[in-house]
């Protein structure tokens, strides 16, 4: 094994310049992916956890320049699911043995604390673990969701580069995003974060900073996704991020945080038709099949070409399961709580 990869494998420590070196050069890629795969196997085993993704509203008050749900995108037909619709999606996931649902939306203030509590209470009756991904909320809101029974929260930092953050997120504030993540940690959520790879003018140095930020915060889950240009956003003409670069960031994340959950992201699959399988063999241990009804998932256009958009919930789940089995991995039957998280 190359000495740098060996160091990362045995100590789970990399300096910033070492990360940048790995990102700049491709001759160690095969060894990097292999070391990440071994690290995953040694620390968390062969099981793959499935999370049923419910995209319950595409209405968003924010205006992130890369995202199709941004409020300035007038071309998108908007929708909201009610509690009953959400429960139906969750029931479908449960019928297929899925033990976690991820409720994701734009930042949609229609869903008050009371409404979210009602949704969470109903999902809890199905004995599901609940991940929320609703964007930036106040400490009190996060606390109320947690008390209602939410287990996990997913909020990507997107980028830790203050200048790039400002350019990509009009009227948003990097410090507030960091505060949200710290609040979620303090409330003892299992915290998922992550970054976008390949934003315009994003440097390898800043991506290395993103990795060290996530390591330092000790996230329980990290989702790494390539940027995909959406024609209905101001970044329409920008090149897509690189699949390989995103895969390398994901593999380094596994080496830096050996026990966390790492999803093989849909955006990876969108850029490479074997993307999720390759990711599962390079450090990932989670897949989030979409269980949103087809008529709605078609309208949740964060970026174009999202895989599985023409499939129904059944087809999506079955195809994900068969992919996992085909590479000799097992489908987990438990909640798949991160090994890094402890109840308080
Ligand atoms: N509104 C919530 C959750 C929905 S967006 C939030 O922002 O946290 C979910 C994720 O989609 C974002 O975190 C972002 O990383 C990703 N995303 C948005 N636009 C994208 C694009 N054009 N390409 C790839 N990923 C994108
Ligand atoms: Fe809204 Fe999230 Fe898209 Fe930003 S990334 S525009 S907050 S849905």
């Amino acid at each position: 094994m190359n000495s740098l990869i060996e160091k990362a494998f045995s100590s789970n420590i990399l300096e910033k310049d070492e990360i940048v070196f790995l990102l700049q050069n491709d001759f160690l890629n095969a060894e990097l992916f292999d070391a990440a795969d071994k690290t995953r196997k040694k620390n968390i085993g062969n099981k793959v956890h499935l999370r049923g993704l419910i995209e319950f509203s595409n209405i968003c008050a924010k205006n992130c320049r890369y995202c199709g749900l941004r409020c300035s995108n007038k071309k998108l037909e908007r929708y909201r699911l009610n509690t009953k619709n959400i429960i139906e999606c969750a029931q479908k996931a449960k019928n297929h043995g899925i033990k976690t649902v991820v409720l994701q939306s734009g930042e949609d203030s229609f869903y008050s604390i009371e409404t979210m509590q009602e949704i969470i209470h109903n999902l809890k009756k199905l004995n599901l673990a609940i991940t929320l991904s609703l964007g930036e909320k106040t400490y009190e809101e996060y606390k109320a969701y947690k008390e209602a029974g939410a287990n996990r929260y997913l909020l990507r930092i997107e980028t830790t580069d203050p200048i790039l953050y400002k350019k990509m997120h009009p009227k948003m504030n990097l410090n507030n995003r960091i505060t949200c993540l710290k609040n979620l940690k303090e409330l003892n959520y299992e915290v998922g974060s992550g970054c976008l790879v390949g934003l315009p003018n994003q440097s390898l140095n800043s991506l290395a900073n993103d990795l060290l930020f996530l390591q330092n915060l000790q996230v329980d889950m990290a989702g790494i996704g390539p940027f995909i240009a959406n024609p209905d956003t101001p970044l329409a003409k920008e090149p897509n991020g690189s699949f390989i670069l995103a895969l390398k960031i994901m593999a380094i994340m596994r080496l830096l945080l050996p026990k966390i959950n790492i999803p093989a992201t849909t955006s990876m699959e969108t850029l490479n038709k074997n993307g999720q399988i390759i990711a599962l063999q390079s450090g990932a241990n989670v897949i989030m099949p979409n269980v949103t009804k087809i008529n709605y998932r078609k309208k949740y256009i964060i970026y174009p070409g999202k895989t599985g958009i023409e499939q129904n919930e059944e087809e999506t789940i079955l195809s994900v399961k068969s992919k996992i089995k085909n590479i000799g991995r097992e489908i987990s039957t438990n909640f798949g709580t991160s090994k890094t998280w402890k109840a308080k």
Side-chain angles (χ1 to χ4, degrees), residues 60 62-64 66-67 69-70 105-107 158:
C60 189
K62 294 278 164 75
N63 216 11
C64 308
Y66 42 79
C67 178
L69 308 194
R70 66 200 304 271
S105 66
E107 289 202 14
E158 317 291 6

Side-chain angles (χ1 to χ4, degrees), residues 48 50 320-331:
V48 176
L50 300 185
V320 161
K321 283 187 174 176
S322 91
K323 277 195 224 174
I324 295 168
K325 286 184 187 147
N326 284 342
I327 55 165
R329 296 273 281 278
E330 295 159 57
I331 293 154

Side-chain angles (χ1 to χ4, degrees), residues 2 34 159 311:
N2 164 276
D34 192 47
T159 174
Q311 286 177 327

Side-chain angles (χ1 to χ4, degrees), residues 83-333:
T83 307
K84 183 170 160 279
N85 301 147
I86 295 173
I87 305 302
E88 281 165 9
C89 300
Q91 183 65 55
K92 198 136 247 165
K94 188 182 160 80
N95 293 347
H96 285 273
I98 293 179
K99 307 277 278 186
T100 298
V101 286
V102 180
L103 295 187
Q104 194 180 76
S105 66
E107 289 202 14
D108 184 354
S109 55
F110 170 84
Y111 298 88
S112 62
I113 290 190
E114 292 72 30
T115 310
M116 285 315 300
Q117 283 171 327
E118 187 204 350
I119 295 169
I120 295 165
H121 285 149
N122 276 289
L123 293 174
K124 275 289 152 197
K125 287 187 203 148
L126 297 177
N127 190 28
L128 293 162
I130 300 171
T131 303
L132 301 178
S133 180
L134 324 175
E136 295 178 20
K137 303 279 169 182
T138 62
Y139 183 90
E140 285 65 37
E141 285 170 301
Y142 289 147
K143 186 162 183 272
Y145 309 150
K146 185 80 176 28
E147 284 169 359
N151 307 88
R152 310 174 187 150
Y153 205 100
L154 180 53
L155 184 77
R156 286 185 176 171
I157 191 69
E158 317 291 6
T159 174
T160 57
D161 177 335
I163 295 168
L164 182 60
Y165 192 92
K166 215 167 177 206
K167 272 195 202 139
M168 291 294 117
H169 304 101
K171 299 195 188 133
M172 288 169 75
N173 180 318
L174 178 58
N175 284 332
N176 190 51
R177 197 113 181 140
I178 296 173
T179 302
C180 284
L181 287 166
K182 291 195 170 146
N183 287 343
L184 291 163
K185 271 268 168 198
E186 191 180 315
L187 288 162
N188 205 34
Y189 276 93
E190 251 184 277
V191 175
S193 190
C195 59
L196 277 166
V197 177
L199 290 169
N201 298 316
Q202 189 177 34
S203 66
L204 296 182
N205 189 61
S206 90
L207 285 164
N209 283 334
D210 296 350
L211 280 163
L212 292 171
F213 170 84
L214 295 168
Q215 184 187 37
N216 201 10
L217 190 69
Q218 301 224 326
V219 293
D220 303 293
M221 184 273 216
I224 312 290
F227 157 71
I228 300 170
N230 184 323
D232 299 330
T233 65
L235 304 186
K237 297 209 160 60
E238 297 292 338
N240 287 340
S242 146
F243 170 73
I244 290 293
L245 184 60
L247 194 69
K248 286 168 73 171
I249 308 259
M250 189 203 78
I252 297 170
M253 188 82 271
R254 170 58 72 208
L255 293 171
L256 294 179
L257 290 170
K259 291 187 194 301
I260 65 168
N261 285 325
I262 299 187
T265 54
T266 310
S267 50
M268 287 194 178
E269 186 86 352
T270 301
L271 289 190
N272 180 315
K273 67 177 178 6
N274 264 326
Q276 284 183 317
I277 290 298
I278 297 170
L280 281 181
Q281 294 174 318
S282 311
N285 71 316
V286 170
I287 291 196
M288 295 164 53
N290 197 326
V291 296
T292 317
K293 287 207 171 59
I294 188 158
N295 292 344
Y296 298 112
R297 76 168 76 173
K298 276 185 178 163
K299 295 180 190 159
Y300 199 83
I301 311 174
I302 286 183
Y303 50 80
K306 224 165 77 176
T307 54
I309 208 134
E310 295 293 341
Q311 286 177 327
N312 67 28
E313 309 89 284
E314 214 95 34
E315 288 164 342
T316 309
I317 298 170
L318 294 177
S319 98
V320 161
K321 283 187 174 176
S322 91
K323 277 195 224 174
I324 295 168
K325 286 184 187 147
N326 284 342
I327 55 165
R329 296 273 281 278
E330 295 159 57
I331 293 154
S332 161
T333 52

